[in-house]
Amino acid sequence: MKPWAILLAAGQGSRLAAAADGRAKQFLHWRGAPLYWHSARAMSRSAVVAGIVFVFPQNGHAEHEERLRELHAAEDLGIPWLTAVGGEMRQDSVRNALSVLPADVRHVLIHDAARPFLTPALVRRVCEALQRGACGVIPALPVTDTIKTVADGLVTGTLPRQALMAVQTPQGFSSDLLRQAHAHARETGLSVTDDASLLEALGHSVHVVEGEAANVKITNPDDLALLQEAPALPRPCTGMGYDVHRYGPGRPMRLGGILIPAGPEVVAHSDGDVLLHALTDAVLGCAGLGDIGQHFPDKDPRFDNISSALLLDQALDMARQAGVRLCHADMTVVAQTPRLAPYREEIRKNIARLLALPPACVNLKASTEEGLGFTGRAEGIKAYAAVTAWAQDCPALVPPSPLQRDI
């Protein structure tokens, strides 16, 4: 069975509160979502976590749980989640979360919500060690600084750096052993800073896996610089379109906005330009805006015999509003008849004009299917289009709430 994760988001973050306008660090926003949500994303994307328990402060717990529902509604994690009430100490919060875990959970991950840069790869590394039989697993990195013990402003000793490691979360455990360790700590009054120390106190071995340098914990005011947004860079995106039209009494054949006098008529609701329809679908795909049927349904009388160039223009405008700028288009028309070679350059240049691209950035190919299929039997025509574009970074998937305020 896959482990569940416990996401600790109940701390007060006193060292950071003044610089963060009194807010606990786990509720600060980065890239449109609270820090704890970024950790939840990494857990869900690892494909090795079965569910998550979010631990929120007792004060405001209901509001934080409602916010969690909003986040999940906007971006489904794909795994179940529960909430638990935080305690006075970190150990109390973990113990409360263990009490709400499903009874059959054999392993559990404990992660600090103030480590938002967690990656799915690290989650998998910890879980793999648990699957190999480890009862406790921690990610850690070698210490690079010289570490000294100090008392009253004086050095009392220098620790051997080669034997030291800086420990991170998530830490993985046998859930039964972790419950026993927490019970022992409660009985003896043992207070520790991580859960691995509780297993160590019972004499159990804790295995170490490689941590991640980027998996830092937001702790001090200087750490807020890590949450500052870098200027958004364009990202490449592609869109693919396909369309087909049947030959028969209907519209004169047009391809790429160019009339093809030698071509058979096509059955269509609009002007039947199969190439511009495929291109329109590709443009919409680039911007993640669905398909041509959603925006221009063939049952709508407004689009009866409409120019496909107008539909393409509207799709281009929608893509521009979404921050998408086309830079290249590659198209293929598949038909047994007519021969398209005499029209190829005229079509290509007209499409370049419609897309506002240099002709060198538009490519058009024509092919037959050697007598195979409906196109080979000259029963119809089809077209493929692939467009490449630059897009601004995706907008935040998470809607704002009364609890959300940017740094």
Side-chain angles (χ1 to χ4, degrees), residues 53-289:
V53 178
F54 294 86
V55 186
F56 293 131
Q58 183 171 8
N59 183 24
H61 185 273
E63 289 83 355
H64 291 305
E65 188 172 55
E66 178 58 30
R67 177 57 174 153
L68 182 57
R69 291 192 187 95
E70 294 174 4
L71 291 163
H72 190 75
E75 184 186 358
D76 193 329
L77 290 174
I79 54 177
W81 55 266
L82 301 167
T83 65
V85 176
E88 183 177 346
M89 299 173 59
R90 185 183 190 278
Q91 292 169 224
D92 301 323
S93 294
V94 174
R95 190 171 57 251
N96 291 349
L98 288 171
S99 70
V100 304
L101 281 178
D104 58 350
V105 172
R106 295 176 53 196
H107 294 103
V108 62
L109 305 179
I110 312 294
H111 185 62
D112 297 321
R115 292 185 185 270
F117 311 116
L118 169 72
T119 69
L122 180 56
V123 177
R124 288 192 291 269
R125 201 146 59 237
V126 173
C127 290
E128 287 165 0
L130 289 173
Q131 292 169 358
R132 291 193 295 267
C135 64
V137 182
I138 58 172
L141 292 173
V143 171
T144 56
D145 295 324
T146 297
I147 306 297
K148 295 181 181 291
T149 57
V150 177
D152 298 324
L154 297 175
V155 173
T156 59
T158 300
L159 301 179
R161 188 169 61 185
Q162 65 274 17
L164 300 175
M165 299 197 81
V167 177
Q168 305 175 331
T169 65
Q171 299 183 356
F173 306 97
S174 158
S175 53
D176 286 342
L177 278 181
L178 188 59
R179 287 189 180 94
Q180 294 175 24
H182 274 275
H184 174 261
R186 195 172 190 182
E187 292 168 1
T188 60
L190 177 63
S191 177
V192 296
T193 57
D194 76 342
D195 294 272
S197 300
L198 299 180
L199 261 69
E200 296 164 30
L202 290 179
H204 294 288
S205 297
V206 175
H207 290 246
V208 177
V209 297
E210 183 182 0
E212 293 177 338
N215 184 29
V216 298
K217 187 176 182 180
I218 303 300
T219 304
N220 299 305
D222 288 347
D223 297 333
L224 292 178
L226 298 171
L227 305 179
Q228 298 303 311
E229 299 290 349
L233 297 175
R235 58 179 172 81
C237 59
T238 58
M240 185 267 185
Y242 168 80
D243 195 34
V244 58
H245 280 305
R246 179 165 51 92
Y247 291 157
R251 315 292 192 196
M253 178 179 283
R254 290 182 179 275
L255 289 174
I258 302 301
L259 181 66
I260 311 296
E265 292 186 342
V266 296
V267 178
H269 180 64
S270 66
D271 67 0
D273 194 323
V274 68
L275 184 55
L276 290 190
H277 290 178
L279 189 57
T280 299
D281 252 356
V283 170
L284 292 170
C286 239
L289 294 172

